[in-house]
Amino acid sequence: MNHQTINLSILSDEELAHLAKMGNQDAFTLLYERFLPTVYARVRFKIPEIDVEDITQEIFIAMLRSLHSFRSESKFGTWIRAIANRKIADYYRAKSVTQVDEPDYENTASNSQHDQAEQFKQQDDLASIQHALTQLRQNHQDILLMRFVDNMSFSEIARQNGQSLEATKSLFRRSVAALAEKMQEDVLEND
Amino acid sequence: MTNLTEDSQFNDRIAEFTDMVLSRNKDIDMNDSYQQDEFAKLQKTILQMKKAVQLAQPDASTSARIRKNLLIARNKSNYPIQNSKATNQKRVRFFAIASSFVLLLLIGVLILPMGSSDVPLMGAADGISPLEGIILVAGIILIAIIIWLNRQR
């Protein structure tokens, strides 16, 4: 079993998806482990914290259900990102919510006051980025998430969006500038 | 033209800075970097974004919980991954049986009329022997079963 897992770990996402389609449970588990961090972070940036776990789970269940329709010629990362985006859109359609909730400080466990203060600050930083990000135009949100969360290179993003590398870098810069602007606005509003 | 080139260079610098930030594990000290107004502002945002992504990762307990729930959901339902091996085996078995029937039917249709032409059977309808009749009925039933199974899938 262990030997099999070691062998599987050298396979590409697409090869794992093919094995998972054939019923290989270890391949599915490995795919889950590879994509949980990016899927979770993507959802975390788009959806109120309280629902992040449920939506992440729904995305993986949807992946499980539609794995048979995945074609190995396409990139698995692109495919699962499309599922994630669809689920996030479904969430907002069903709930008709548009804003990310404030972080739930009461449920944050901590050992000392200093740790707690640090944790609150970190949660605050995350919440302010989340809030600013959700206010951006869709293409600005997309490129920031692709580069920071999905860890795609600029060339990969350019290929995915059907743009030149120059245009992609320009869009990225404008997106970072828009994010900085929104965060500044939020700070001024809160003051 | 100069503005365009400067703009493009600025885009490249922002992209390079992002690549550098994301490829390093340790935090980057802002004092080490350029301090031009616009560039510094974007650098700060890039660093904040990287930190936010690190904070947005699931912890071990969340990861385990999602995985456990996913396994429960998978076991409760008949998702393809769970039963794909069994389904494939069933499909192979079904096609083997179906092919055998079709083959039998073909043999019956092609060979039997030649053998039965000399000896007419008592009580048989004109032009068709009882065996041919049975094979014909079996064939019709088989086709009906195949259509029904295809609809079920």
Side-chain angles (χ1 to χ4, degrees):
Chain A
M1 183 73 171
N2 238 350
H3 179 67
Q4 201 186 4
T5 311
I6 291 164
N7 281 344
L8 287 177
S9 66
I10 59 165
L11 297 180
S12 69
D13 303 332
E14 292 72 30
E15 288 167 329
L16 283 178
H18 179 70
L19 287 178
K21 259 164 83 169
M22 307 295 286
N24 188 318
Q25 308 250 352
D26 292 335
F28 180 80
T29 305
L30 205 55
L31 270 180
Y32 165 78
E33 281 165 6
R34 277 189 195 176
F35 282 90
L36 177 68
T38 52
V39 169
Y40 187 90
R42 179 170 275 272
V43 176
R44 185 86 168 75
F45 275 106
K46 294 270 205 169
I47 275 178
E49 196 181 350
I50 196 161
D51 294 320
V52 170
E53 211 171 301
D54 287 343
I55 300 299
T56 305
Q57 204 171 291
E58 276 184 30
I59 291 167
F60 280 101
I61 291 175
M63 167 187 137
L64 192 62
R65 262 187 210 150
S66 48
L67 200 56
H68 65 276
S69 68
F70 172 71
R71 300 278 166 263
S72 305
E73 307 89 64
S74 49
K75 291 277 270 180
F76 188 79
T78 311
W79 185 71
I80 196 164
R81 201 163 41 248
I83 294 179
N85 287 340
R86 204 166 52 235
K87 284 284 164 195
I88 290 166
D90 287 349
Y91 170 85
Y92 280 108
R93 212 172 295 130
K95 287 209 157 189
S96 300
V97 283
T98 51
Q99 294 224 323
V100 173
D101 288 352
E102 292 299 315
D104 183 5
Y105 292 139
E106 281 178 22
N107 286 336
T108 315
S110 149
N111 295 329
S112 68
Q113 271 193 329
H114 177 264
D115 282 352
Q116 211 166 31
E118 182 58 27
Q119 230 166 10
F120 285 170
K121 193 192 166 301
Q122 287 184 343
Q123 292 291 334
D124 223 12
D125 290 346
L126 177 58
S128 68
I129 292 237
Q130 277 176 317
H131 185 260
L133 193 79
T134 51
Q135 312 278 305
L136 299 183
R137 281 164 49 182
Q138 194 57 49
N139 60 342
H140 287 175
Q141 288 186 35
D142 287 343
I143 195 167
L144 290 172
L145 291 179
M146 279 195 260
R147 185 65 192 99
F148 286 101
V149 175
D150 302 327
N151 214 13
M152 290 169 76
S153 69
F154 286 108
S155 319
E156 283 174 322
I157 297 170
R159 245 194 325 272
Q160 160 99 35
N161 289 351
Q163 281 179 321
S164 70
L165 189 59
E166 295 304 310
T168 302
K169 284 179 181 176
S170 172
L171 176 65
F172 179 75
R173 174 200 162 178
R174 280 182 278 125
S175 307
V176 175
L179 182 66
E181 204 71 39
K182 283 283 173 211
M183 285 169 71
Q184 210 163 19
E185 276 174 26
D186 285 349
V187 170
L188 289 174
E189 266 176 36
N190 289 334
D191 287 346
Chain B
M1 186 68 184
T2 318
N3 273 348
L4 208 72
T5 315
E6 276 175 14
D7 216 36
S8 172
Q9 281 173 349
F10 194 77
N11 293 340
D12 284 342
R13 279 172 61 201
I14 288 295
E16 276 165 26
F17 180 76
T18 308
D19 288 342
M20 184 187 76
V21 166
L22 292 178
S23 64
R24 281 197 197 177
N25 282 331
K26 64 172 194 172
D27 288 341
I28 288 166
D29 188 357
M30 275 292 288
N31 296 327
D32 293 343
S33 51
Y34 301 91
Q35 286 300 316
Q36 289 170 16
D37 274 355
E38 177 69 4
F39 194 66
K41 194 172 96 179
L42 299 191
Q43 276 182 316
K44 194 180 162 197
T45 310
I46 288 165
L47 293 173
Q48 283 174 313
M49 186 69 194
K50 186 201 174 182
K51 203 165 180 188
V53 172
Q54 286 169 339
L55 291 170
Q57 297 297 318
D59 55 29
S61 61
T62 308
S63 173
R65 207 164 41 242
I66 295 174
R67 188 177 167 182
K68 192 179 147 202
N69 290 339
L70 188 62
L71 284 174
I72 292 169
R74 185 169 70 183
N75 292 337
K76 268 186 193 167
S77 317
N78 289 322
Y79 294 144
I81 188 168
Q82 189 189 8
N83 291 322
S84 62
K85 264 184 189 167
T87 312
N88 281 344
Q89 281 172 355
K90 267 185 200 169
R91 206 170 287 168
V92 168
R93 210 176 303 147
F94 165 73
F95 277 110
I97 293 168
S99 313
S100 317
F101 266 106
V102 171
L103 199 68
L104 268 177
L105 190 69
L106 275 173
I107 292 168
V109 168
L110 292 173
I111 295 172
L112 282 177
M114 290 180 237
S116 64
S117 58
D118 299 339
V119 191
L121 286 172
M122 295 284 286
D126 286 343
I128 189 163
S129 73
L131 198 58
E132 283 173 330
I134 289 167
I135 289 169
L136 201 68
V137 171
I140 291 166
I141 292 171
L142 179 74
I143 289 164
I145 290 172
I146 291 172
I147 292 168
W148 181 71
L149 283 175
N150 272 332
R151 278 192 180 173
Q152 292 272 305
R153 214 175 287 155

